[in-house]
Amino acid sequence: MTAKTGRAEAAPPMLLGALLALLRFGSGNADVLTASNITWSSINFKTLLHWEPEPTNYVYTVEIDGDLSNRKKTCIHTRNTECDVTNLLKNVKDTYIARIYSEVPDQDNDFNTPPYEVSPRFTPYEQTEIGMPAISYFEQIGKTLKIEISDPLTPYRFNNGSFQTIRDIFKDKLEYTVYYWKDQSTGKKWSTKRSNQFELNIDEGKSYCFYVQAAITSNSRSRESPKSIEKCTSVKREDLDGLDLDTILIIAGVAAGAIILVIILSVVAYKCTRRKTIKKENMPPNL
């Protein structure tokens, strides 16, 4: 009877402690909001996670969970609403979700899962966008226009430390299309290849302009990159295309300064010569 009475007397303090703990947790999370508008942003496999709102008296922690990967946390206790999760998505064909936890700093959450929200599912291989391709080399020789394109780099490295390109990942699903036309003309032609090297048949003696687009062909959806910077085979046009506005202004300023200097020197020389002539004319003749 005494033992039962002791346990009965001990129960209320235990219940009271638990109730106070729950109240403290509840009051500490009264203004804690879970993430909303969670989106993935990925170009050439560099992937960022975005969400709202800006935290006030709490922080966020991101947890990445893949169908074929273990859970891993990153951007721990951050006050940002963006997180670079690239390094946690190296298995690009896996499908991932992100849990974004809203946590109160210095609060013991060992026995309580903080409130969180779950992102949409994301598969890098199927959903990353392709960045703008770069033209690394071009040359017009007679009736042939040679073009070479640099495969865009990804953030992932080989064992030797060099960066993988998107071709290393997509293989023959990556293709390029070159759009080209005679300079000052509107009629375009195009050529598509699963290679980054082109040799196009053109009219000899004519200048040509062109740009490139990359595309990924897959069963789910096709993805096209932005258009590359336009290039032209005309030497004069190419030189101008390679200059930025500041450089052009500097060159124009130097040229204008040189012209003004020549004019000033010419005027000074003319005045000096004129004064000598007048002085000579005004001198009395030698007797």
Side-chain angles (χ1 to χ4, degrees):
M1 183 70 179
T2 304
K4 290 183 180 181
T5 304
R7 284 197 295 270
E9 289 175 350
M14 293 175 62
L15 291 174
L16 181 60
L19 180 60
L20 289 173
L22 288 173
L23 288 173
R24 188 179 74 171
F25 179 82
S27 62
N29 288 270
D31 298 323
V32 174
L33 302 177
T34 55
S36 60
N37 296 328
I38 304 172
T39 57
W40 301 88
S41 171
S42 182
I43 299 177
N44 296 339
F45 295 101
K46 180 175 178 60
T47 305
L48 303 177
L49 198 62
H50 304 269
W51 65 90
E52 297 176 349
E54 297 285 343
T56 51
N57 61 333
Y58 60 97
V59 293
Y60 291 113
T61 293
V62 176
E63 182 181 69
I64 299 298
D65 189 4
D67 290 348
L68 306 175
S69 311
N70 295 326
R71 295 186 182 187
K72 293 182 180 179
K73 289 186 176 182
T74 186
C75 298
I76 297 171
H77 295 169
T78 180
R79 295 188 181 274
N80 298 323
T81 55
E82 175 185 287
C83 181
D84 187 340
V85 296
T86 303
N87 288 333
L88 301 185
L89 311 183
K90 291 183 178 180
N91 184 353
V92 296
K93 292 188 178 182
D94 196 359
T95 298
Y96 300 89
I97 61 167
R99 296 180 186 86
I100 303 178
Y101 294 94
S102 301
E103 301 174 313
V104 177
D106 302 324
Q107 187 175 81
D108 185 6
N109 291 325
D110 291 343
F111 302 102
N112 299 289
T113 300
Y116 66 91
E117 192 55 69
V118 179
S119 74
R121 293 169 67 81
F122 178 75
T123 306
Y125 187 84
E126 298 293 340
Q127 292 175 262
T128 193
E129 298 297 332
I130 307 305
M132 178 191 299
I135 298 167
S136 56
Y137 167 82
F138 66 94
E139 184 180 15
Q140 182 176 345
I141 304 175
K143 296 183 179 181
T144 303
L145 173 58
K146 295 183 177 181
I147 301 171
E148 187 169 328
I149 305 155
S150 296
D151 294 326
L153 298 176
T154 75
Y156 302 127
R157 296 176 183 266
F158 289 108
N159 292 333
N160 63 6
S162 62
F163 286 101
Q164 298 182 47
T165 68
I166 61 172
R167 182 173 298 281
D168 294 319
I169 295 175
F170 287 116
K171 309 296 184 185
D172 60 353
K173 293 184 183 296
L174 171 65
E175 63 182 25
Y176 291 107
T177 300
V178 175
Y179 297 86
Y180 61 104
W181 61 96
K182 291 179 184 178
D183 196 5
Q184 310 301 325
S185 172
T186 56
K188 288 184 180 179
K189 297 181 179 180
W190 63 89
S191 175
T192 300
K193 292 178 66 176
R194 298 185 186 276
S195 168
N196 63 341
Q197 296 181 342
F198 287 76
E199 290 192 5
L200 306 174
N201 294 322
I202 56 174
D203 293 339
E204 189 172 6
K206 301 291 184 180
S207 297
Y208 279 78
C209 295
F210 59 94
Y211 64 82
V212 178
Q213 267 188 298
I216 302 298
T217 57
S218 64
N219 295 330
S220 58
R221 67 183 183 101
S222 295
R223 284 160 282 172
E224 289 187 344
S225 73
K227 299 175 183 177
S228 71
I229 297 173
E230 183 181 307
K231 298 287 187 179
C232 293
T233 59
S234 169
V235 174
K236 293 182 179 178
R237 283 287 304 275
E238 180 189 344
D239 290 342
L240 289 176
D241 290 342
L243 299 177
D244 57 26
L245 180 59
D246 291 341
T247 304
I248 293 173
L249 291 175
I250 291 172
I251 293 172
V254 171
I259 293 171
I260 292 171
L261 181 61
V262 170
I263 293 172
I264 292 172
L265 292 175
S266 299
V267 171
V268 170
Y270 171 77
K271 287 184 176 181
C272 290
T273 304
R274 181 64 178 164
R275 278 198 292 267
K276 289 180 180 179
T277 303
I278 293 172
K279 185 177 179 180
K280 187 174 181 180
E281 290 176 351
N282 293 333
M283 289 178 65
N286 294 328
L287 297 177

